[in-house]
Amino acid sequence: HWSKWSMLSLASPAASGFAPLRGPALLLTELSTVGFDARAYRAKMQKLSAPLRAAARTADRLAATVCMSDTARKALWKPGAVAPSYLDGTLAGDAGFDPLTLTALASKSLPDLLTGGWPSQSQRELIMARMTPTERRAAVAKMREAEIRHARLAMLAAAGWPLSELLQGGRAPSVLNGGLGDGPVPFFLVLAAGAAAYVEYLSEEAANQASGLGPAAPRLAGDFGFDPLGVMAEEGAYRRKELSANELFNGRLAMLAITGFAAQEFLWGTPVVEQTPFFFGR
């Protein structure tokens, strides 16, 4: 153990080589001289730990911004916005749009999100920052798969919604309008869900068989091998990406349209074909 005089010598200006130890040495010297004061002790410890807390905050900020690289590209959805590094433009229809960092939710399960595990914006940024490049690519691919499924479903719904109203009159069956349990609607919903699940099953089986035969090309999001007319097969890589982007753009527009249909009919209580008859030849 060091004596009180040793502590004083460390705390003196001459002990410049022991600068990192001067703060603790002064604290120990004060304790041995005047006795223990809890309030003063807490104040001293807060002062000594302040640099560590500042360093931790700096590390968090650096981690949160690691997703933005020096070669970050401009986002196409907003003038002056910068796309995060995990949206590098390699995917079709990538406009660099993820202002809420929702890609981080790909690593969270639905039950966890529904039971209060929804991370805040800063937490989502840290989740993305701590991912490896492989994990980021997997998260982006999972979110793109979900987007393309919803886009295709919305395109079918955007066409079927007004068509059903034109053929049978009244509002189309929906969650807000009701009618999902009437007539053949439940049977059709089960049939459609089963058909979609079967197509996905065939795609997964084909991918598993290809992987068992050796290295295979990575599967594109939403690619279930459905191309009966051979449109994609006859095109080059650039044209295939362009066609995929066009499908996605139309799907995004359809998602907005179907949301508008549901909101309009819920608020005004009349079929959308009657609210905008000029769109439907009325």
Side-chain angles (χ1 to χ4, degrees), residues 227-235:
D227 188 16
L229 300 180
V231 176
M232 296 288 282
E234 297 177 355
E235 302 292 346

Side-chain angles (χ1 to χ4, degrees), residues 83-272:
S85 62
Y86 52 85
L87 297 179
D88 55 6
T90 57
L91 293 177
D94 180 6
F97 180 82
D98 192 15
L100 300 180
T101 323
L102 296 180
T103 305
L105 300 180
S107 61
K108 306 281 287 185
S109 64
L110 182 59
D112 187 21
L113 294 173
L114 294 178
T115 55
W118 188 277
S120 64
Q121 173 71 16
S122 59
Q123 289 173 333
R124 294 195 297 272
E125 292 174 354
L126 286 176
I127 290 173
M128 292 303 301
R130 291 168 180 167
M131 285 184 181
T132 64
T134 302
E135 290 173 336
R136 290 181 193 169
R137 287 192 294 270
V140 171
K142 184 176 180 179
M143 299 301 280
R144 170 50 62 89
E145 187 83 33
E147 181 185 24
I148 193 65
R149 290 178 185 177
H150 284 82
R152 290 169 176 170
L153 182 61
M155 285 188 284
L156 292 174
W161 187 299
L163 186 61
S164 68
E165 294 182 346
L166 289 172
L167 294 178
Q168 68 179 15
R171 294 187 298 173
S174 70
V175 174
L176 297 179
N177 291 342
L180 292 178
D182 299 341
V185 175
F187 173 77
F188 175 77
L189 292 176
V190 173
L191 183 64
Y198 181 68
V199 170
E200 186 169 353
Y201 165 76
L202 293 179
S203 175
E204 293 297 333
E205 281 294 308
N208 292 335
Q209 292 178 4
S211 62
L213 297 175
R219 174 181 170 276
L220 296 178
D223 183 8
F224 297 107
F226 181 77
D227 188 16
L229 300 180
V231 176
M232 296 288 282
E234 297 177 355
E235 302 292 346
Y238 177 81
R239 179 58 178 164
R240 284 198 296 269
K241 183 177 181 180
E242 189 178 46
L243 290 173
S244 298
N246 291 339
E247 179 190 26
L248 198 56
F249 293 151
N250 283 278
R252 290 169 179 170
L253 182 61
M255 286 189 279
L256 293 175
I258 201 66
T259 303
F261 290 171
Q264 284 180 237
E265 294 196 358
F266 177 73
L267 294 175
W268 279 275
T270 56
V272 69

